[in-house]
Amino acid sequence: MNLKLRAQEMKVFFDRKTEGYDDVHGALMENKIAITRALPDGIRTMLDLGAGTGLELIPLFDRFPDACVTAIDISESMLGVLKTRPFADRVVCIAGNFFEVPLGCDYDAVISSAALHHFDPDGKRALYRLIYAALKPGGVYINSDRFYESIEDQEIDLRDYAEDPNRWPHMDTPLAMEVERALLETVGFTDITFEALDGRYWLNRARKGTVSV
Ligand SMILES: C[S@@+](CC[C@H](N)C(=O)[O-])C[C@H]1O[C@@H](n2cnc3c(N)ncnc32)[C@H](O)[C@@H]1O
């Protein structure tokens, strides 16, 4: 999978869909609140991958008003909405592809909501390496996202995308949870769990070990 092209597809799609995005994704707020619920007490520095308009940051700043968040998104238009939020002064926004921009390091937590289900296993492994490197030892990774329960479903989407990436705009290619678990383990993550949210979305949690792998 060409990750550069994939990121470009996302930018084009979300730049166009920014207006009205919060109305559509506001209906999925419970999935986003689950991230805040799962974060341990005392979290201060966080990286949000694919932060978009920052919907998941609304409950997050209610619970952690002193948090410092770095928000990365390839759509400047989506980040434009985030920058109007009341907590915007506590967020550093970076417009770019999270595979390419420096993510920073020593975060207490890396979070993501509805943004990481567009990659094949090689791409996901590369992303997990970057996330692992960005976390401090013992830091947590929490992702509310789409995952499949079976590898068969994963393979159907990946095959459809490979055959014709333009079959429909913004084609989802979620991976199966057992594949995700293996990728996270390969990179060094421990305490990996998947909690069912609304049937399509799951909350994936993992922890960076205190020993380098
Ligand atoms: C469905 S939106 C989720 C926005 C927000 N996290 C939420 O839950 O409402 C997915 C976001 O991920 C961003 N995105 C997708 N691929 C990206 C990439 N490779 N680098 C940076 N941002 C990306 C898109 O631009 C979009 O804003």
Side-chain angles (χ1 to χ4, degrees):
M1 184 179 281
N2 181 334
L3 296 176
K4 223 181 230 315
L5 180 67
R6 202 65 168 124
Q8 205 48 38
E9 291 165 7
M10 296 300 141
K11 177 174 167 45
V12 170
F13 181 83
F14 284 102
D15 276 352
R16 238 186 308 122
K17 293 280 176 183
T18 302
E19 205 183 317
Y21 175 86
D22 282 5
D23 296 332
V24 176
H25 262 254
L28 301 173
M29 221 38 213
E30 285 304 316
N31 296 336
K32 304 179 199 296
I33 290 169
I35 297 171
T36 293
R37 176 172 43 77
L39 283 164
D41 288 337
I43 290 282
R44 197 170 156 76
T45 57
M46 272 170 271
L47 170 65
D48 186 352
L49 297 175
T53 65
L55 283 176
E56 63 274 18
L57 298 179
I58 297 171
L60 188 141
F61 276 104
D62 282 345
R63 178 170 169 207
F64 301 103
D66 296 329
C68 300
V69 174
T70 300
I72 301 184
D73 202 287
I74 197 153
S75 165
E76 283 172 56
S77 162
M78 292 284 273
L79 287 179
V81 177
L82 193 163
K83 288 175 185 169
T84 67
R85 304 271 186 216
F87 47 74
D89 60 334
R90 303 212 58 86
V91 183
V92 174
C93 289
I94 300 175
N97 180 353
F98 42 59
F99 283 97
E100 294 177 356
V101 299
L103 301 184
C105 59
D106 277 333
Y107 293 102
D108 296 326
V110 175
I111 64 166
S112 186
S113 166
L116 307 183
H117 52 270
H118 303 107
F119 314 118
D120 61 10
D122 285 345
K124 212 68 188 276
R125 188 187 305 104
L127 185 61
Y128 286 153
R129 282 197 206 291
L130 294 172
I131 293 171
Y132 196 85
L135 280 167
K136 71 177 191 189
V140 292
Y141 165 61
I142 302 182
N143 179 21
S144 172
D145 208 351
R146 292 196 57 204
F147 299 99
Y148 279 135
E149 292 184 73
S150 82
I151 294 186
E152 287 72 28
D153 287 338
Q154 162 189 310
E155 291 305 309
I156 289 168
D157 281 4
L158 287 174
R159 191 200 55 215
D160 285 354
Y161 179 79
E163 277 174 11
D164 180 7
N166 300 314
R167 186 169 301 184
W168 63 80
H170 180 239
M171 198 164 162
D172 288 352
T173 50
L175 300 186
M177 282 176 270
E178 65 177 284
V179 172
E180 294 278 12
R181 179 183 293 279
L183 293 170
L184 287 161
E185 280 172 355
T186 304
V187 166
F189 281 103
T190 60
D191 303 338
I192 301 161
T193 59
F194 291 87
E195 173 192 336
L197 294 173
D198 67 359
R200 283 179 88 225
Y201 277 72
W202 296 72
L203 192 72
N204 177 208
R205 300 156 81 166
R207 183 176 294 281
K208 177 171 178 168
T210 44
V211 179
S212 309
V213 177

